[in-house]
Amino acid sequence: MNSNRSPQDFPYKTYLNILHGPLEIIDVQKLADACTDEWYNQTLCKVNDSVIRMAVVQGDYHWHEHNDIDEFFFVLDGRFLIEHSKTKDRNWRAILISP
């Protein structure tokens, strides 16, 4: 990935509103199919003190980190590569928790 690119180079859409409450069925495939953005992040629901977000990512995205939280990644389709101190390469239907 080109490290000379900044976050402003990526039209990443982030929606923090919670779409679903307890006991609502979330059709993740329908949401993904309706997405027209290359980089998209939507909060789906809240579980205890955590939120579950869906992201649609196409191509490289700038490196960033969250020093005070862990992130949970569940790859449903495609390939997801995180360049980290321990590089993680995951195919679909894989789970990764990144410190």
Side-chain angles (χ1 to χ4, degrees):
M1 186 170 78
N2 184 347
S3 61
N4 295 328
R5 297 179 75 182
S6 72
Q8 291 75 25
D9 294 327
F10 298 91
Y12 200 77
K13 305 288 180 148
T14 299
Y15 301 97
L16 301 178
N17 60 304
I18 298 172
L19 285 183
H20 299 279
L23 300 177
E24 289 185 41
I25 294 177
I26 303 170
D27 189 339
V28 175
Q29 189 62 57
K30 182 178 178 181
L31 291 168
D33 290 345
C35 180
T36 59
D37 298 301
E38 290 184 29
W39 296 284
Y40 170 84
N41 188 312
Q42 171 66 61
T43 301
L44 298 177
C45 60
K46 186 172 182 178
V47 179
N48 297 323
D49 293 332
S50 299
V51 292
I52 306 300
R53 292 190 177 109
M54 180 189 86
V56 173
V57 180
Q58 296 179 29
D60 291 344
Y61 190 65
H62 75 282
W63 169 252
H64 67 281
E65 58 187 321
H66 306 279
N67 293 323
D68 56 342
I69 62 171
D70 294 335
E71 288 197 272
F72 172 90
F73 297 94
F74 181 20
V75 180
L76 291 174
D77 188 23
R79 185 169 177 239
F80 188 55
L81 173 66
I82 296 177
E83 294 177 357
H84 196 276
S85 59
K86 295 181 181 178
T87 297
K88 307 294 181 189
D89 186 359
R90 296 292 178 255
N91 290 316
W92 66 281
R93 306 229 188 268
I95 293 175
L96 169 70
I97 297 175
S98 177

